[in-house]
Amino acid sequence: MIRVLLADDHPLVRQGLRAVFATTSDIEVAGEAGDGAEAVRSTVRLSPDVVVMDLQMPGLHGTEATRQILDRKPGTTVLVLTMFEDDDAVFAAMQAGATGYLVKGADGADIIAAVRAAAAGQPVFGAALAGRLRRWFASPPPRDTPFPQLTERELQILDHLAAGMSNTEIGRQLHLSAKTIANNVSTILTKLRVSQRTQAIVQAREAGLGRLGRRTDPDP
């Protein structure tokens, strides 16, 4: 029996997935979580085989939740749930240790097959991400570019972070919401393989970023 944890902030999505898995004899829903932190706690408590993880979660972003889950429960498989709104965030989740991804609204049979494959240790890649990975490996970024793993937007946000700006200030500068900035910061931390904002700032400043009006005491 494959035990699954559903981590999504939309109850209707969780309800739909639960109904899909109810049609099988080898998959059971062990629990649900409505935010990233709850997903981590529930994984530790319930020890599911597979966590179906939405990325855009309130509080703790799905990418960081994935990293924490695999740190605390290394044998767990995380399957990302996405609408293809941000391929970079999906790629970051893969770097955090996710096995693959599902598309919201995918056919029930495909979802069941993806969970079974993930539980068996097989990677699950959709066409969009597979194409992105092919392009990334075919045209790697220049080696002299600081933090080539970051997108242009992420590098821009990191530059502002290194200058000591808060999420609200960065959002005001870039005409983005503070939540969007926070989600990008979480992705940046994953790609830089650090857990704290201050660690990312140190790396950025060592690379020469953060010179646009740097403040002496950056906000945490």
Side-chain angles (χ1 to χ4, degrees):
M1 183 67 69
I2 302 170
R3 302 177 69 252
V4 176
L5 176 72
L6 307 179
D8 194 291
D9 61 330
H10 293 97
L12 287 179
V13 173
R14 300 198 304 269
Q15 181 180 344
L17 290 172
R18 184 180 281 274
V20 167
F21 296 137
T23 65
T24 72
S25 60
D26 60 334
I27 302 174
E28 67 173 2
V29 177
E32 300 182 10
D35 59 60
E38 185 182 1
V40 177
R41 292 193 300 269
S42 296
T43 299
V44 172
R45 179 170 56 88
L46 299 172
S47 298
D49 301 301
V50 178
V51 177
V52 179
M53 175 73 72
D54 185 15
L55 289 183
Q56 301 300 327
M57 298 277 274
L60 191 67
H61 190 268
T63 300
E64 178 59 25
T66 296
R67 180 166 54 186
Q68 291 189 20
I69 284 172
L70 296 177
D71 282 345
R72 301 178 66 176
K73 284 285 187 178
T76 308
T77 296
V78 177
L79 197 58
V80 169
L81 188 70
T82 179
M83 288 290 291
F84 292 126
E85 292 178 349
D86 187 351
D87 282 349
D88 291 315
V90 176
F91 196 11
M94 300 301 152
Q95 290 181 310
T99 295
Y101 76 97
L102 286 172
V103 183
K104 283 187 176 180
D107 181 83
D110 290 336
I111 294 174
I112 291 169
V115 168
R116 286 171 175 162
Q122 302 170 12
V124 180
F125 295 110
L129 184 59
R132 186 178 184 86
L133 288 170
R134 284 195 298 269
R135 290 191 297 273
W136 191 87
F137 284 112
S139 303
R143 292 184 179 274
D144 57 352
T145 301
F147 308 112
Q149 70 271 43
L150 302 183
T151 65
E152 183 177 350
R153 172 66 77 189
E154 291 163 354
L155 190 62
Q156 188 179 27
I157 291 173
L158 181 60
D159 192 20
H160 284 75
L161 280 180
M165 294 186 183
S166 66
N167 289 352
T168 301
E169 291 171 328
I170 297 173
R172 190 179 301 120
Q173 288 281 331
L174 302 181
H175 306 290
L176 297 170
S177 69
K179 180 179 179 182
T180 296
I181 298 300
N183 288 340
N184 275 273
V185 169
S186 178
T187 300
I188 290 168
L189 297 185
T190 296
K191 289 185 176 182
L192 297 185
R193 300 182 182 275
V194 298
S195 58
Q196 299 295 326
R197 183 188 186 102
T198 52
Q199 294 173 301
I201 290 174
V202 169
Q203 287 193 27
R205 290 183 175 177
E206 288 178 347
L209 300 182
R211 301 186 183 281
L212 37 85
R214 181 183 299 176
R215 286 157 40 177
T216 54
D217 295 313
D219 291 344

